[in-house]
Amino acid sequence: MGAPKNGPVNTPGKKPGKAPKKDRPAPVPTSPEQMITEARKAFFVMFGLLAVVWLVQLANFSDHYALSRDYAVVSGDVGTLPDILVAPLLHWSWAHIESNSGPLFVFGFLAAYRGVARFLGLTLLIALSSGLVVWFFERGDVATVGASGLIFGYFGYVVVRGLFDRHLIDTLVGIVMGASFAYLLTVAVPGTPGVSWLGHLGGLLGGLLGAWLFRDRRAPRAATGGGTPRTPADGGAAPPHPGSPRSDLYKELDDLGLL
């Protein structure tokens, strides 16, 4: 049933009726308490993910890497399409998993600390984009496994997330990460021997797309400060009372995107 054309009716002595709320994505954590809570969740999520990857590696190694051979993504082979979701957990050697573990944890944590729920959706998107690019464009005699597609996806997401969310801290984090790890892009171009540059490129594209799809869709605040103040129900911290000595500092930090 649709809402009345004239909207809710107010009657004396009663509170005005409330218009239906529009659906919107979960808000990005903004208060220090929320950020600490989400960072703690992100740490345990990434610790758990790495533990799973290493346990799978132990089982894989004990079986002479049969898992990697059986669940690798092979271009044009329809039977390997479901393996797109499994291949990121597999590796070809101890050196392979060791080189991936550090970047996976760092970029995964940075991607997850703004919200674990968004991170899980992002991970699925990156795994699909990386695996599908390999499946469509890699040579048919190449079997591809490894977490590097996820790493490149998280990297791309972290670098541009702050721009889409209009958040200063995340933008600065993205600039620092982009400047520090720009060399990673050298293995996402054609001609790199011994690596699946297509998997890297597909993951990177998935991360960039994820930054846009999972962006904070809340309306930007007016430059004059006339926007609707955030409340705990909106996912942010309640601002101090206008008469509080901290109110001006809070407003400045909020306008800079630091809260």
Side-chain angles (χ1 to χ4, degrees):
M1 294 177 65
K5 292 183 179 179
N6 295 329
V9 178
N10 297 335
T11 57
K14 294 185 178 180
K15 294 183 179 180
K18 294 183 179 179
K21 293 183 179 180
K22 295 182 179 179
D23 293 335
R24 61 181 179 179
V28 174
T30 52
S31 72
E33 294 79 8
Q34 286 178 309
M35 290 178 63
I36 291 172
T37 299
E38 291 297 333
R40 187 181 296 115
K41 290 180 183 178
F43 175 85
F44 286 114
V45 166
M46 290 311 303
F47 183 86
L49 177 60
L50 274 182
V52 169
V53 169
W54 277 83
L55 288 174
V56 170
Q57 169 65 10
L58 287 172
N60 201 10
F61 174 75
S62 66
D63 199 21
H64 306 288
Y65 294 98
L67 292 176
S68 293
R69 293 190 297 271
D70 294 341
Y71 294 97
V73 178
V74 179
S75 180
D77 186 345
V78 177
T80 66
L81 276 175
D83 300 335
I84 285 174
L85 300 178
V86 181
L89 303 177
L90 300 168
H91 294 83
W92 288 116
S93 66
W94 290 107
H96 190 192
I97 190 174
E98 288 168 3
S99 64
N100 279 345
S101 294
L104 179 64
F105 184 87
V106 171
F107 292 125
F109 173 80
L110 291 175
Y113 89 99
R114 281 291 184 185
V116 171
R118 293 183 183 218
F119 171 76
L120 296 177
L122 173 70
T123 300
L124 177 61
L125 174 62
I126 294 172
L128 289 174
S129 65
S130 177
L132 287 175
V133 168
V134 168
W135 194 87
F136 277 107
F137 300 110
E138 186 58 90
R139 302 194 316 272
D141 59 343
V142 176
T144 302
V145 297
S148 54
L150 292 180
I151 294 170
F152 275 78
Y154 295 151
F155 171 73
Y157 176 79
V158 168
V159 168
V160 302
R161 173 183 56 191
L163 300 177
F164 289 118
D165 284 349
R166 300 177 299 280
H167 197 282
L168 179 61
I169 289 297
D170 288 344
T171 301
L172 294 177
V173 169
I175 292 173
V176 171
M177 291 295 103
S180 301
F181 295 93
Y183 68 88
L184 289 176
L185 299 178
T186 61
V187 289
V189 295
T192 306
V195 300
S196 175
W197 69 269
L198 283 167
H200 298 171
L201 179 61
L204 181 65
L205 294 176
L208 298 177
L209 177 61
W212 181 77
L213 289 177
F214 298 107
R215 70 191 184 279
D216 183 8
R217 289 182 170 86
R218 290 176 298 176
R221 296 178 296 278
T224 58
T228 303
R230 291 177 298 186
T231 65
D234 296 324
H241 188 275
S244 169
R246 295 190 303 153
S247 60
D248 291 339
L249 175 61
Y250 183 95
K251 180 180 180 302
E252 292 296 329
L253 293 175
D254 197 29
D255 290 341
L256 287 173
L258 297 176
L259 295 175

